[in-house]
Amino acid sequence: MSKRQEAIKALRDMTDDELQEHAQQQRRRLFELRFQMATGQVENHRQVREVRREIARTLATQTELARQVAAAEHENG
């Protein structure tokens, strides 16, 4: 299993609150990386790209979970 697939599986195993917390942590990390880039302290510029993709994966997983919940409610009600 690739690193990306493992990351997606880990996100899908999280609850909605855990996903929200994870997204918040990644946004904070992105802010810190951008600040480091502005001051010339960042060593690996690719980290910004990786963090942005992690945020996108998290948000996509949250949307997926919300749609599953809505579909379940629609079927039951």
Side-chain angles (χ1 to χ4, degrees), residues 18-55:
E18 291 172 334
L19 284 170
Q20 188 70 27
E21 178 67 25
H22 183 72
Q24 187 176 13
Q25 289 172 353
Q26 293 304 315
R27 286 185 178 122
R28 178 68 181 171
R29 185 171 171 218
L30 181 60
F31 171 79
E32 291 169 357
L33 283 171
R34 286 181 175 161
F35 190 79
Q36 289 175 358
M37 284 181 64
T39 59
Q41 295 176 351
V42 72
E43 293 178 14
N44 185 1
H45 296 279
R46 191 174 184 104
Q47 288 177 330
V48 173
R49 182 179 183 183
E50 292 171 3
V51 171
R52 286 179 43 220
R53 287 184 176 187
E54 182 66 25
I55 292 169

